[in-house]
């Protein structure tokens, strides 16, 4: 029995060592994927931030931002497709609440709009929602390129009406650089939808005053669909179907931006912080669920059990043979003693 116990103990230690090596290798693979995804997120965000900086630099030198100029500038950019999460580049002008009616009249009269021959007609321009008076200003979406049906229906939405967007714009104005908003629901057809995303804002300032201060004219911005943005940053051909979760800060369901669900949760994860345009995200990469023991561990365990069983059987056979030999020796001794009497 001692041989069986010793053999199984050695087998258990071997299985433990194999499983530990497998876990370390799995963690290394997860960390590699996390590095690739986080680098992809940062690279794509920085690329779009560069576009917004270029747009802000161009429009800061202009007295007004005309639709034709804006459309021409965006058309020259090698932007990613909407399937990668980028929904275009837009211009939102900061308008005092008393000037909103005048801006609406100008936009409705066709100033800054494309002709209907090349673009489908848009609904009459109106700043929505109509709660800008209490703030004293509005930041309506003036243009959003590409001018597809979805984007054109978002024209006129007052981005300052949303606290998350407003906080991002205030921070961008203060820091004078591209800033990513917190988690929000994207606007569809002028109304907030259920699609989760975020917006990157870059302030555009006018000429400096005598005291050195500058007037904020508005923001160039890019809305992103979070699910598509994360999916476009994933490895093209991962070794295993991993799970990915992207959080806006803390790891809790309310802050979840996007996720790629694994078929079965394993609980084995690697976490990595990602800094994107003034915002800190948490990326969680989860390994796919596997058997309790790896194939090599199972084979080692079975082999150890087989060896231990064979040794146990062999030990019993040897012990039985020794017992029989002793009985035979005792019988011969007994017969020898009888014959000598």
């Amino acid at each position: 029995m001692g041989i069986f116990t010793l053999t199984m103990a050695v087998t258990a230690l071997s299985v433990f060592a194999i499983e530990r090596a497998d876990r370390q290798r799995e963690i290394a693979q997860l960390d590699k994927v996390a590095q690739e995804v986080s680098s992809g997120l940062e690279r794509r965000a920085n690329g779009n931030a560069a576009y917004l900086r270029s747009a802000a630099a161009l429009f800061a030198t202009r007295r007004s931002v005309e639709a034709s100029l804006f459309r021409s500038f965006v058309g020259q950019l090698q932007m990613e497709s909407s399937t990668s999460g980028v929904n275009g580049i837009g211009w939102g002008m900061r308008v005092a609440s008393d000037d909103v009616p005048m801006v609406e009249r100008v936009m409705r009269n066709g100033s800054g709009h494309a002709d209907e021959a090349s673009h489908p007609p848009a609904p009459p321009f109106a700043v929505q929602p109509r709660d800008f008076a209490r703030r004293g200003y509005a930041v309506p979406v003036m243009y959003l390129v590409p001018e597809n049906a979805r984007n054109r229906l978002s024209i006129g939405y007052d981005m300052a009406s949303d606290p998350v967007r407003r906080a991002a714009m205030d921070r961008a104005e203060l820091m004078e650089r591209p800033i990513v908003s917190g988690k929000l629901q994207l606007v569809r057809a002028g109304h907030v939808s259920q699609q989760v995303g975020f917006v990157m804002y870059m302030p555009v300032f006018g000429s400096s005053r005598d005291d050195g201060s500058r007037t904020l004219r508005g923001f160039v911005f890019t809305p992103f669909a979070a699910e598509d943005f994360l999916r476009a940053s994933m490895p093209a051909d991962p070794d295993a179907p991993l799970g990915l979760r992207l959080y806006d800060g803390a790891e809790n369901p309310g802050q979840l931006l996007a996720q790629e669900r694994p078929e079965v949760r394993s609980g084995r994860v690697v976490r990595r912080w990602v800094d994107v345009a003034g915002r800190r995200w948490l990326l969680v990469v989860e390994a796919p669920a596997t058997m309790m023991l790896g194939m090599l561990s199972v084979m080692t365990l079975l082999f150890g059990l087989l060896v231990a069983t064979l040794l146990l059987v062999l030990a019993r056979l040897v012990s039985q043979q020794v017992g029989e030999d002793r009985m035979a020796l005792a019988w011969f001794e007994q017969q020898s003693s009888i014959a000598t009497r």
Side-chain angles (χ1 to χ4, degrees):
M1 191 65 183
I3 295 178
F4 179 84
T5 303
L6 178 61
T7 305
M8 290 307 300
V10 173
T11 301
L13 288 175
S14 300
V15 170
F16 174 78
I18 293 172
E19 286 296 302
R20 183 179 180 183
D22 286 345
R23 292 292 177 264
Q24 290 176 343
R25 183 168 56 254
E26 182 180 65
I27 292 300
Q29 292 174 345
L30 292 180
D31 193 65
K32 178 183 177 182
V33 172
Q35 177 63 42
E36 291 179 0
V37 175
S38 61
S39 296
L41 292 170
E42 292 174 351
R43 181 174 59 255
R44 297 176 63 248
N46 290 337
N48 283 277
Y51 291 151
L52 296 186
R53 287 181 185 274
S54 300
L58 173 64
F59 302 141
T61 62
R62 312 284 299 190
R63 294 187 58 184
S64 62
V65 180
E66 302 88 0
S68 58
L69 173 64
F70 188 81
R71 196 178 300 115
S72 174
F73 172 80
V74 176
Q76 296 176 19
L77 300 178
Q78 296 180 351
M79 293 184 58
E80 298 175 289
S81 64
S82 59
T83 57
S84 63
V86 180
N87 288 349
I89 292 183
W91 163 244
M93 184 170 66
R94 183 183 175 104
V95 183
S97 57
D98 293 339
D99 294 335
V100 168
M102 178 189 67
V103 171
E104 289 179 330
R105 285 196 302 272
V106 171
M107 295 296 289
R108 287 170 182 170
N109 289 335
S111 175
H113 277 289
D115 55 68
E116 295 185 0
S118 58
H119 295 277
F125 182 89
V127 178
Q128 297 291 341
R130 309 293 293 185
D131 60 350
F132 47 80
R134 59 185 179 87
R135 287 190 309 275
Y137 71 95
V139 185
V141 177
M142 310 296 286
Y143 317 122
L144 187 54
V145 179
E147 293 179 299
N148 51 41
R150 179 186 62 190
N151 286 347
R152 286 174 68 83
L153 290 174
S154 298
I155 300 299
Y157 173 73
D158 180 13
M159 296 181 289
S161 64
D162 176 38
V164 178
R165 291 175 172 84
R166 187 167 64 249
M169 288 187 286
D170 290 345
R171 191 170 175 222
E173 178 186 3
L174 178 64
M175 303 187 71
E176 300 186 9
R177 65 182 181 89
I179 291 294
V180 164
S181 73
K183 174 185 176 181
L184 47 79
Q185 275 70 45
L186 297 178
V187 174
R188 293 289 180 267
H191 302 284
V192 176
S193 69
Q194 296 301 313
Q195 187 177 25
V196 175
F198 56 93
V199 183
M200 182 183 292
Y201 290 100
M202 176 66 193
V204 177
F205 295 96
S207 57
S208 300
R209 301 190 184 98
D210 295 337
D211 59 0
S213 62
R214 295 186 295 174
T215 303
L216 177 68
R217 297 176 57 191
F219 299 88
V220 284
F221 65 93
T222 298
F224 297 85
E227 291 278 359
D228 295 334
F229 190 73
L230 174 62
R231 192 175 297 113
S233 302
M234 293 175 58
D237 187 20
D239 296 331
L242 303 173
L244 293 174
R245 297 191 296 277
L246 186 63
Y247 294 92
D248 179 29
E251 186 178 356
N252 64 68
Q255 297 299 105
L256 182 64
L257 279 172
Q259 65 177 330
E260 284 291 321
R261 292 187 178 92
E263 294 182 1
V264 181
R265 299 284 294 271
S266 67
R268 301 189 302 276
V269 301
V270 165
R271 296 174 176 85
R272 181 178 290 272
W273 289 101
V274 184
D275 294 313
V276 177
R279 198 80 185 179
R280 206 169 199 211
W281 293 340
L282 178 62
L283 176 66
V284 180
V285 182
E286 184 172 6
T290 57
M291 297 185 298
M292 184 176 297
L293 293 177
M295 184 60 65
L296 182 58
S297 297
V298 172
M299 293 176 63
T300 301
L301 184 61
L302 292 177
F303 180 76
L305 181 60
L306 177 61
V307 171
T309 303
L310 290 176
L311 289 176
L312 180 60
V313 171
L314 181 60
R316 287 185 177 276
L317 290 175
V318 171
S319 177
Q320 182 179 356
Q321 186 64 43
V322 169
E324 292 177 354
D325 290 344
R326 285 178 179 175
M327 290 177 61
L329 183 59
W331 184 81
F332 282 119
E333 289 179 350
Q334 183 181 13
Q335 293 298 318
S336 177
S337 63
I338 294 175
T340 56
R341 289 178 182 178

